[in-house]
Amino acid sequence: MMLVLLITVLMVGAVAAVVAGEWNRYLPRWIALLASAAGLLLVTLLWANTSPHSVTDGQWLMDFRKEWIPSFGITFHLAVDGLSLLLLALTFFLGVLAVLCSWDEIRERTGFYYFNLLWILAGVAGVFMAMDMFLFYFFWEVMLIPMYFLIGIWGSENRVYAAYKFFIFTQASGLLMFLAILGLYFIHGRDTGIYTFGYFELIETVIPFKTAFWLMSGFMIAFAVKLPVFPFHTWLPDAHGEAPTAGSLILAGLLLKTGAYGMLRFVVPMFPEVVTDVAVPAMVLGVAGIVYGAVMAYSQTDLKRLVAFTSVSHMGFVITGIFALNELALQGVVMQLVTHALSTGALFLMAGMIKERLHTRDIGQMGGLWGPMPQMGTIGLVFAMASLGLPGLGNFVAEFLILLGVFQAQPWITVAAASGLIFSAVYSLRIVGKIFLGPRRTMEAVPDFSFREMLIMAALTVSVVWLGLFPQPVINTARPAITELIRFMDVHSAASHHQSYVK
Amino acid sequence: MPLTVLAGASVLVMLLIVARLSHRIIQLVSLLLFVIAFICLLNIRGMLPYEVGSLFMIDSFGAFMTGLIIFSGLVVNIFSYIYFQEKEEGPKEYYVLLFLCTLGACVLALSEHFVSVFLGLEILTIGLYALIAYLRTRNHSIEAGIKYLVLAAFSSAFLLFGMALVYLQTGTMSFAGMAGVVAADSVPPLLITGLGLMLVGLGFKLAVVPFHMWTADVYQGAPVPVTTFIATASKGGVVAAMLRFFIAIDGFRSEPLQMVMIAIAIASMVAGNLLALRQKNIKRLLAYSSIAHLGYLLVAFIPGSAVVPQAVSFYLLTYFITTFAAFGVITILSDSESDAEDLGRYKALFWKHPALASILSIAMFSLAGIPLTAGFTGKFYVLTTGIGQGFWLLAVVLVLSSVVGLYYYLRVVTTLFAGTRDLLPDPPAKYPVFLGISMAVLSILTFALIWLGVYPDSVIGVVQGLQLK
């Protein structure tokens, strides 16, 4: 019931915001803050209640199930394990920050703005909890339209183009995934006589290898576009660049994570044999993304596009880690999802704050900002360091774990992936050097952090340092889900070996 | 029984016109008559299925389709008042024709005999000739009317010739009789030829590629309520008749026929969506979109499995509701000089009339098949039907072409939100009562769109209970 509450609180908040927006411009933001904070509180409670038992009680912490469209075997089934819980906590944490950072930025049509914001959060939260494939797809799509509006209405100059591109890329790939879901549904139905979209039933489906390959491609393409994996990333710099600050924050912090989550939750357990087969090409693509993203990031002059390309680079680590298919790497992936959301989110927020002050995203026009804004400079340095993977900050733990895990699987790929650390140092230092150091280009008075901005940045800084020094809670929470995944993989590859002997 | 009401209604309205009553009274009376026809339909639910001579078969599927058609007549009727009150032409005869067209479509949906099929089709089409060209002072109207007249007559000839050939081969004109003959032996070439010719005639009415040339011009030229009617009731009737015929003779198992239908479906989906891409006129845009949607419908139609009638009925239901909502908004926004068809006029509508813009956006999302709207559930049903029988090619084409389609639906939605300039006139507040009724209907339709998208189970239950005799 609590899980349903998590989604409904956001949806009710969204509707309340749009209604209140008719009366008063300022009311919607309070409603949005209240709704997302309430959600954060609920998740924290959930986490606090369950974490001591989670290791012993098996993978699933909470479950909610209700018939939805029984004629097609569709249920409204939500469940949470450690992985989902972490990502949910992240969702609501970033949700609160997103509301706070739009506090003054958004002045027009506030009701509809916060409606979209909360609606995206509801969709993302639903994606992380859905245990019915139809429901999953439903939520997957629910978050698209409000994001489209967010970019298309409140974005900067080139917003309409970016919004189209984002929507068409994600929707097209999503529809292919939907075809794959339907294929799975019918194969399972034919084999067992039970037509259902339930995750726990479909995961047991035995699929002929060739069909499995095509079905997996359907899923993979949706998740690869969302993540994004190297050749499918072209929507990302546009969307991130043009979106309003909160939009970029949510895109980088949450929407990209749904792609990784989808791979961990669906692709790997459903198609274990195929995944093992395509592991090496996928890792190569991941490494290509790491290097390409880093090089592109270095050559950008637009601050937000720069940060967007660092996302491509960091997400390369994620895909490489997922396809290493061992516990170390997967733990690293989960860490990376959380820490990347924090560090990149912070960089986007900072880009937004600088833009509010200087009215530009062009790095060439910045410089010497440390003088007037020492606080922002310091924080900027912290997150640039986080982004390059400095020990002591969360990203280091994540990338180190991934590299360790990948080394066990493919040493040479690790060598190439590790070069990403050097590249990231180059572009991160360029951010700091160009923006905060050097001669001042503008002589306008630029105020330093306001209290609200300081609050946002303090929350992010504390989290990223905490994750760097004491990552154990995250690792513990995610462990049951990951060991279960690895066990499932082993059982299935053993079973398939066994089958091949029999044949 | 509902057929009698409809037929009687047209006569009654004609008499009322003679009595020189005002537009308002005639409108209200015809509204009432539509409601009565609808209630009659609900009343006969217990007696289903029953046969009228050998011409009509009123089974639950037929009743459902008739219900849809009468409902669309009803909705069109409601929208008509605002639209026609401002025009110079006397709008009263319009209602007579509307009843006749509805009657024709219902006859089609219930017929199980070539004679009644042709009868229904002609009642429908002849009514439409006049309706399309109703605003006779507008150039586009006349052009559309003539175009429809020539092509429809031509396609009727094809249909008739096809029927003749089928009759020659089977020696009977009732579907049931044909079923016996066809089942006995393998499909002879003459029969295939006949069926092919019939397909041309029916394909024209459905406006599927390659028989779609008239669509955009007619949609654009016809008065908006009439366009709504063409898009919904007229197509619904033909689909129902076609489905009944194909199931009766089990035409799905004929290989060449199936190939032709697959080709038509793919061509419609692709061409419809591509042609709509660059349209700046929303009526033409919806015309091309309807071509694509009929292509989607064929994906549910071709597999020939037991779920086909359900999928087709459900899809038509969702498509009808969506189309009503979209055209309803256009109707309300049209003024006495011209229809609100230029996309540029919709700029910034959201900030001026949030309610209308929301309705139009939801309708567009539903046409695009995005979750939370009826269109998605409909498309889901269609895809399930197609994939369930292993028609992967159709499913993939459907998905890819609807991605293309997304672009232009989104363009409409983007226009609604773009800019702050306001070029649209206020809705005619001169008729607050009818405007209120229209808005109420639109709200109900929108609610239905979302309801069907979020919780379609009850309706799916109804649809699954439908039977074809």
Side-chain angles (χ1 to χ4, degrees), chain A residues 206-425:
Chain A
V206 182
I207 315 165
F209 185 82
K210 206 157 174 223
T211 324
F213 175 77
W214 286 108
L215 292 182
M216 192 211 69
S217 315
F219 278 96
M220 258 324 257
I221 199 146
F223 299 140
V225 167
K226 255 300 181 1
L227 190 57
V229 178
F230 163 55
F232 305 106
H233 66 277
T234 60
W235 62 272
L236 182 131
D238 290 313
H240 280 63
E242 302 301 326
T245 311
S248 309
L249 174 69
I250 290 181
L251 267 174
L254 301 176
L255 260 62
L256 304 194
K257 306 307 179 279
T258 57
Y261 172 81
M263 288 186 197
L264 287 174
R265 176 72 79 219
F266 300 108
V267 174
V268 175
M270 275 176 180
F271 313 101
E273 291 94 17
V274 190
V275 167
T276 330
D277 263 37
V278 301
V280 175
M283 287 162 89
V284 170
L285 280 185
V287 172
I290 294 177
V291 176
Y292 174 84
V295 173
M296 288 303 281
Y298 182 72
S299 51
Q300 296 302 313
T301 53
D302 178 329
L303 182 56
K304 280 180 106 175
R305 285 182 76 91
L306 191 162
V307 182
F309 273 110
T310 69
S311 278
V312 176
S313 181
H314 285 138
M315 289 298 118
F317 277 104
V318 168
I319 181 118
T320 317
I322 290 176
F323 280 89
L325 298 171
N326 54 43
E327 193 179 341
L328 265 179
L330 290 179
Q331 282 288 11
V333 167
V334 175
M335 266 316 270
Q336 175 83 336
L337 294 183
V338 177
T339 55
H340 168 263
L342 298 177
S343 67
T344 309
L347 288 176
F348 272 123
L349 285 173
M350 218 162 53
M353 290 171 187
I354 293 177
K355 188 177 177 227
E356 263 178 52
R357 290 170 170 78
L358 298 180
H359 308 288
T360 179
R361 301 187 315 229
D362 186 357
I363 297 179
Q365 297 185 32
M366 301 171 190
L369 292 182
W370 197 297
M373 300 193 289
Q375 291 171 349
M376 187 189 278
T378 320
I379 299 291
L381 186 65
V382 169
F383 283 104
M385 291 303 120
S387 181
L388 69 78
L390 190 79
L393 298 171
N395 302 46
F396 169 74
V397 182
E399 280 167 17
F400 189 66
L401 279 175
I402 292 179
L403 288 176
L404 270 184
V406 177
F407 191 76
Q408 289 177 359
Q410 298 286 339
W412 286 107
I413 287 183
T414 323
V415 174
S419 71
L421 289 177
I422 301 166
F423 286 118
S424 65

Side-chain angles (χ1 to χ4, degrees), chain B residues 114-127:
Chain B
F114 275 171
V115 169
S116 45
V117 168
F118 194 70
L119 194 70
L121 200 66
E122 287 304 291
I123 298 177
L124 171 66
T125 319
I126 292 176

Side-chain angles (χ1 to χ4, degrees), chain A residues 11 18 22 67-72 74 108-109 112 119 134 137-139 141-142 145 148-149 152-154 159-160 163-164 167-169 171-173 175-176 178-180 182-187 190 197 215, chain B residues 310 350-351 354 361 365 368-372 376-377 379-381 383-385 387-390 392 395-396 399-400 402-404 406-408 410-414 417 419-420 453-457 460-461 464:
Chain A
M11 288 189 167
V18 82
E22 295 290 310
E67 288 294 315
W68 184 19
I69 311 177
S71 18
F72 283 105
I74 298 169
E108 311 164 33
R109 306 154 192 169
F112 192 51
W119 203 255
F134 188 87
Y137 180 73
F138 188 82
F139 282 125
E141 298 281 299
V142 160
I145 300 170
Y148 166 79
F149 283 137
I153 299 179
W154 291 275
R159 56 178 181 266
V160 173
Y164 269 130
F167 196 85
I168 289 179
F169 263 74
Q171 173 79 17
S173 59
L175 278 169
L176 290 175
F178 190 55
L179 274 187
L182 283 179
L184 203 59
Y185 169 74
F186 278 107
I187 289 174
R190 250 178 235 136
F197 280 94
L215 292 182
Chain B
Q310 311 167 10
F350 189 81
W351 316 118
S361 328
F365 284 136
I370 286 170
L372 282 176
F376 171 69
T377 327
K379 215 172 248 177
F380 165 69
Y381 220 134
L383 276 175
T384 328
T385 314
I387 293 180
Q389 295 297 311
W392 278 96
V396 172
V399 162
L400 292 180
S402 51
V403 171
V404 177
L406 266 182
Y407 175 78
Y408 60 84
L410 274 184
R411 217 180 38 174
V412 176
V413 176
T414 314
F417 288 92
T420 45
V454 176
Y455 200 73
D457 200 50
I460 289 181
Q464 279 179 338

Side-chain angles (χ1 to χ4, degrees), chain B residues 139-185:
Chain B
N139 287 339
H140 281 313
S141 253
I142 302 292
E143 183 199 335
I146 296 288
K147 203 166 232 171
Y148 194 74
L149 172 69
V150 173
L151 287 173
F154 203 53
S155 76
S156 290
F158 266 100
L159 183 67
L160 216 48
F161 189 40
M163 284 176 173
L165 285 180
V166 173
Y167 177 62
L168 177 67
Q169 185 67 41
T170 59
T172 171
M173 284 212 265
S174 83
F175 293 176
M178 245 176 269
V181 180
V182 175
D185 53 351

